[in-house]
Amino acid sequence: MAPKKGLLSATAAQRARAGGGSRPTVLLIIFFLFLSPAVFFFSRGLRSADLEIISSGSVQQDVGWRERTALQQFNSLFPKAVIDMIAASTNDLGPYSLDHFRKNNLSVSWKIDGLETTVDDFYERNQTVIDIVKEKPNSEEVKLMDDSSQFTDSTAKQTRRQLREKKREKHAAQLLQQDNNILIKLENAAIERSKSVDTSVLGKYSIWRKEYENDNSDSTVRLMRDQMIMARAYLAIAKMKNKLDLYHELQTRLKESQCALGEASTDADLHRSSPDKIKSMGQILSKAKEQLYDCKLVTGKLRAMLQSADEEARGLKKQSTFLSQLAAKTIPNGIHCLSLRLTIDFHLLPPEKRNFPRSENLENPNLYHYALFSDNVLAASVVVNSTIVNAKDPSKHVFHLVTDKLNFGAMNMWFLSNPPGKATIHVENVDEFRWLNSSYCPVLRQLESAAMREYYFKAEHPTTLSSGASNLKYRNPKYLSMLNHLRFYLPQVYPKLEKILFLDDDIVVQKDLTGLWDVDLHGKVNGAVETCGESFHRFDKYLNFSNPHIARKFDPNACGWAYGMNMFDLKEWKKRDMTGIYHKWQNLNEERLLWKLGTLPPGLITFYGLTHPLDKSWHVLGLGYNPGIDRSEIENAAVVHYNGNMKPWLELAMTKYRGYWSKYIKYNHPYLRQCKLTE
């Protein structure tokens, strides 16, 4: 019992230093020294700040056997109400709780006779111990107390540490189990959700979007196609592994499915024997899987089939591009018929009836002048008619039409028989412009060269549709026609005009355009709507910036603009010699090293730094290729432009946009009925 002796000696020394005291007081101090660790753990409501002082220093280290002894004395030390209160506050301390000792009927080994106390008495005596411990012990006392705690302290600490670790591990395991339960619930919910989705329905773009909630009409067709793909894969593997019986059976079922599928694109088009064919194919595929399935072989075969299908798709895409470009550049039969009938009737007219009225307005600079260069009678009629219908005062509008000699008679006859109200109109033949010759115009000179004829007409002698697709755009007739390049000679065509509005023949006018003549161009030559909202409409899209002539002069990120509706200041044009600038760059591009084709690239170069941006509402583009234009944007535009291949007079035009164009055509006109031109 050396620890007790050491502790008694220390307490006696403390008592002597405090000035003495009675024997019961000494015993009480000794008892509370044994009791203080338990009080620290179990009496949270009893002055925790003071109890922490007892637990500090050397007293905190000597808690092992004293703690257990003190716990055994609790029943005799406190009234039942106090013990119940302490028990309630220590339930979460496991084996150190008061209930643990009471339930296990731990017996006491000694008692303090005649000691009765209350909570107040306990606090007063505990305060005495606190006051004693607050005094700094001398080195001898510290040494004695340290010696007494060396072997009693480690066991209890280890036990508590193990309990804490077990508690943490248990808590962590509970959290992990909780997370696992949540994951399992989510997975089960996803599985249940997937069961409600028909996995054979493959035609929906997205099952989450309400607009695609319609029933799929070709799910069976797609299932049959999938079966045929797998049958072809197993067919090759069966032949490779010399499974001839299975090979012939697969071949038979594949032919049956192909016959049943035919040209069907929806379930409604399928033959009534299709369900039986699907069942038979499923059975043979199951048999093939049992006999032939090898992950590596099947994967390799499917990959080879995918590559083959990809190559075939690329070839079909080239053919589609070729045919769509061909359709876009070919004159429809109805329009060709219209031109022929009008030409015949024009030449039947007496010469005195071939002239338009109000010719005195053609050079009046105070009127609103339009330039329109076209070989399409129907398209030109829509441009003129839509402009007049939406004009506030049609009598002040003058239309200057230029066409080729092939369509000259037809264009004249149409507007002679369908005059544009009070507006003035005049039709000219580009082939009668004697000043426009190869000695003056670089484009005409280049077109006469053998190299250019080789480039445009032979196009490396393509032998198939797919090989000729990339060359078709270079052989587009509009790039060879001077009607397309005449826009660079406006001052020469109309020498007495000061301003003119240039219009393409694939536009529709929806508002009065006279406000454009009031727009201040700030000394610029060209007024146009910019198209650089997207990166591919900047200069580097159209020009070859690897060429030093282009790289030195222009910014690749400069904003592009659109032809189709352009206000030109002809006075500034002549002052700056814009036609001469165009000639210079056209001569430099004789080998097509600066740009490939078209009139927009030379236009961007010629009017670089001399283009004033107009408000975008004046001119909305994209109706010939972009199906996503906002309807309100179209309806608020002054001019809508069908730039692209899907022109409104072609069968491949987008139906949603065609009405803006067709409403300006009178389809009950005798000429249109004779040529079967309908909406």
Side-chain angles (χ1 to χ4, degrees):
M1 300 300 291
K4 290 185 179 181
K5 290 180 180 178
L7 188 58
L8 287 173
S9 300
T11 308
Q14 188 71 287
R15 173 190 166 197
R17 218 172 25 249
S22 62
R23 178 183 177 91
T25 303
V26 173
L27 292 175
L28 184 61
I29 291 172
I30 293 172
F31 173 77
F32 277 99
L33 284 175
F34 289 115
L35 181 63
S36 58
V39 173
F40 172 77
F41 285 105
F42 303 119
S43 56
R44 299 179 189 177
L46 299 176
R47 306 290 292 272
S48 59
D50 294 335
L51 295 176
E52 286 175 1
I53 297 173
I54 299 176
S55 301
S56 63
S58 60
V59 179
Q60 186 181 8
Q61 299 172 3
D62 194 12
V63 294
W65 64 271
R66 289 179 296 161
E67 182 180 80
R68 291 191 294 272
T69 305
L71 287 170
Q72 293 173 355
Q73 295 299 321
F74 245 88
N75 286 335
S76 60
L77 185 61
F78 292 101
K80 184 177 184 304
V82 175
I83 292 174
D84 291 340
M85 178 188 70
I86 295 174
S89 65
T90 60
N91 285 336
D92 58 343
L93 296 180
Y96 291 105
S97 66
L98 186 59
D99 282 344
H100 175 76
F101 285 92
R102 294 169 64 185
K103 290 177 181 178
N104 289 280
N105 295 321
L106 297 176
S107 60
V108 298
S109 58
W110 53 275
K111 294 182 181 180
I112 302 176
D113 294 332
L115 182 60
E116 294 181 1
T117 184
T118 64
V119 174
D120 292 336
D121 294 335
F122 172 80
Y123 175 73
E124 289 177 3
R125 291 172 183 137
N126 189 40
Q127 186 64 37
T128 304
V129 178
I130 292 171
D131 294 338
I132 294 173
V133 175
K134 280 183 179 178
E135 295 185 14
K136 183 177 180 181
N138 57 32
S139 59
E140 182 180 356
E141 293 171 345
V142 172
K143 182 178 179 181
L144 290 171
M145 295 180 69
D146 288 344
D147 293 339
S148 67
S149 63
Q150 287 178 356
F151 66 93
T152 60
D153 198 31
S154 59
T155 304
K157 282 188 175 181
Q158 289 176 1
T159 304
R160 289 195 299 274
R161 189 181 300 111
Q162 291 173 358
L163 289 172
R164 286 195 298 270
E165 289 175 357
K166 289 180 180 179
K167 189 174 182 180
R168 291 194 199 101
E169 291 173 358
K170 182 179 179 181
H171 184 60
Q174 290 174 348
L175 291 176
L176 288 174
Q177 183 63 36
Q178 186 178 2
D179 290 343
N180 291 335
N181 292 338
I182 293 173
L183 288 174
I184 291 171
K185 289 180 180 179
L186 291 174
E187 290 173 356
N188 291 336
I191 291 171
E192 293 300 321
R193 176 67 182 88
S194 66
K195 289 179 180 178
S196 65
V197 179
D198 186 2
T199 55
S200 67
V201 178
L202 304 175
K204 289 185 178 180
Y205 176 75
S206 171
I207 61 173
W208 308 111
R209 295 179 61 178
K210 292 183 178 180
E211 56 265 39
Y212 293 101
E213 291 277 324
N214 57 310
D215 293 334
N216 192 311
S217 59
D218 62 346
S219 58
T220 307
V221 171
R222 290 179 179 271
L223 178 59
M224 292 184 71
R225 288 174 180 167
D226 290 343
Q227 286 184 332
M228 290 164 64
I229 290 171
M230 290 305 303
R232 291 189 183 97
Y234 283 127
L235 198 65
I237 297 173
K239 187 175 182 180
M240 182 178 64
K241 291 191 173 185
N242 203 26
K243 300 280 187 179
L244 298 181
D245 293 340
L246 185 59
Y247 173 83
H248 292 304
E249 194 172 354
L250 280 167
Q251 201 170 39
T252 302
R253 294 289 178 257
L254 183 58
K255 289 180 180 179
E256 290 177 354
S257 294
Q258 288 173 336
C259 292
L261 182 61
E263 299 295 329
S265 58
T266 63
D267 291 354
D269 300 330
L270 288 172
H271 192 268
R272 57 187 178 184
S273 64
S274 297
D276 296 333
K277 305 302 180 185
I278 292 174
K279 184 177 180 181
S280 300
M281 179 63 83
Q283 292 172 350
I284 189 61
L285 287 176
S286 298
K287 183 178 178 181
K289 183 177 180 181
E290 293 175 359
Q291 297 185 24
L292 302 175
Y293 186 77
D294 181 287
C295 184
K296 188 175 180 179
L297 282 176
V298 172
T299 302
K301 183 58 183 176
L302 289 175
R303 186 181 293 111
M305 292 172 64
L306 179 62
Q307 292 174 350
S308 176
D310 187 50
E311 292 175 1
E312 185 179 357
R314 283 198 296 267
L316 291 173
K317 184 177 180 181
K318 288 182 179 179
Q319 292 182 17
S320 174
T321 302
F322 180 90
L323 293 172
S324 64
Q325 289 179 355
L326 188 63
K329 310 314 174 190
T330 303
I331 299 174
N333 287 335
I335 295 178
H336 185 64
C337 166
L338 177 65
S339 181
L340 289 176
R341 288 184 175 275
L342 289 169
T343 300
I344 293 171
D345 289 349
F346 176 75
H347 288 290
L348 293 176
L349 285 176
E352 63 272 13
K353 292 186 178 181
R354 297 181 183 180
N355 298 320
F356 291 98
R358 295 181 289 276
S359 59
E360 68 277 4
N361 292 336
L362 296 177
E363 295 180 349
N364 185 348
N366 297 319
L367 300 179
Y368 305 111
H369 294 266
Y370 300 85
L372 175 60
F373 308 147
S374 175
D375 59 359
N376 187 326
V377 176
L378 195 62
S381 71
V382 170
V383 175
V384 173
N385 190 29
S386 63
T387 305
I388 296 303
V389 167
N390 293 287
K392 295 178 180 178
D393 187 358
S395 64
K396 293 184 178 181
H397 294 260
V398 182
F399 295 91
H400 302 267
L401 272 70
V402 180
T403 187
D404 56 16
K405 62 182 178 181
L406 186 63
N407 294 281
F408 178 71
M411 198 74 73
N412 274 281
M413 189 62 200
W414 177 264
F415 288 106
L416 286 170
S417 59
N418 300 279
K422 296 181 179 180
T424 302
I425 193 165
H426 181 61
V427 180
E428 295 181 271
N429 181 4
V430 68
D431 297 302
E432 294 179 356
F433 295 163
R434 301 304 177 191
W435 52 269
L436 198 62
N437 50 57
S438 59
S439 62
Y440 174 67
C441 178
V443 171
L444 287 176
R445 183 175 64 254
Q446 291 167 8
L447 288 176
E448 291 176 357
S449 68
M452 187 65 75
R453 288 197 299 270
E454 177 80 14
Y455 179 74
Y456 274 104
F457 294 103
K458 293 187 178 180
E460 299 178 0
H461 305 282
T463 56
T464 63
L465 289 177
S466 59
S467 62
S470 61
N471 296 311
L472 180 64
K473 58 184 178 181
Y474 301 129
R475 305 197 306 278
N476 189 335
K478 79 175 185 178
Y479 300 127
L480 308 178
S481 172
M482 274 310 300
L483 284 176
N484 201 40
H485 290 267
L486 195 61
R487 65 191 68 191
F488 294 103
Y489 299 95
L490 290 175
Q492 287 79 7
V493 181
Y494 311 109
K496 294 187 179 181
L497 299 181
E498 296 180 354
K499 274 190 173 183
I500 195 165
L501 184 64
F502 172 79
L503 298 176
D504 270 343
D505 63 358
D506 55 353
I507 63 103
V508 175
V509 178
Q510 300 186 129
K511 293 183 180 180
D512 181 71
L513 299 180
T514 56
L516 286 169
W517 275 262
D518 298 327
V519 175
D520 186 1
L521 299 182
H522 301 284
K524 305 294 179 65
V525 179
N526 175 26
V529 170
E530 292 182 334
T531 57
C532 58
E534 301 177 26
S535 60
F536 56 84
H537 284 150
R538 298 186 182 273
F539 270 44
D540 58 353
K541 167 66 178 178
Y542 305 101
L543 304 177
N544 178 19
F545 275 87
S546 64
N547 187 288
H549 292 291
I550 298 295
R552 283 196 302 264
K553 295 287 186 179
F554 306 103
D555 177 9
N557 294 316
C559 189
W561 45 267
Y563 268 127
M565 188 210 73
N566 305 80
M567 175 59 70
F568 289 110
D569 187 334
L570 300 184
K571 291 176 65 176
E572 285 292 329
W573 184 307
K574 289 182 281 190
K575 184 189 300 184
R576 296 176 181 271
D577 189 21
M578 305 309 298
T579 303
I581 295 174
Y582 162 71
H583 283 174
K584 170 191 170 183
W585 286 101
Q586 194 67 49
N587 284 324
L588 289 173
N589 194 47
E590 187 168 359
E591 300 298 327
R592 299 173 305 280
L593 299 177
L594 307 185
W595 68 88
K596 286 294 183 184
L597 52 94
T599 55
L600 182 56
L604 295 175
I605 290 176
T606 302
F607 298 104
Y608 182 66
L610 296 173
T611 299
H612 175 74
L614 299 176
D615 188 273
K616 293 185 182 298
S617 63
W618 282 111
H619 187 189
V620 171
L621 298 102
L623 277 71
Y625 70 90
N626 182 7
I629 305 174
D630 188 77
R631 181 176 178 180
S632 62
E633 186 179 356
I634 295 174
E635 293 178 350
N636 292 328
V639 171
V640 291
H641 194 170
Y642 291 83
N643 57 313
N645 284 337
M646 300 179 185
K647 302 299 184 186
W649 54 84
L650 300 175
E651 290 184 3
L652 49 80
M654 283 184 276
T655 307
K656 63 187 294 186
Y657 298 146
R658 189 168 184 171
Y660 299 107
W661 183 83
S662 61
K663 69 180 180 180
Y664 293 104
I665 298 176
K666 296 178 180 179
Y667 285 98
N668 59 353
H669 193 282
Y671 282 115
L672 301 186
R673 289 204 309 268
Q674 290 171 7
C675 293
K676 298 180 180 180
L677 286 167
T678 60
E679 293 186 70

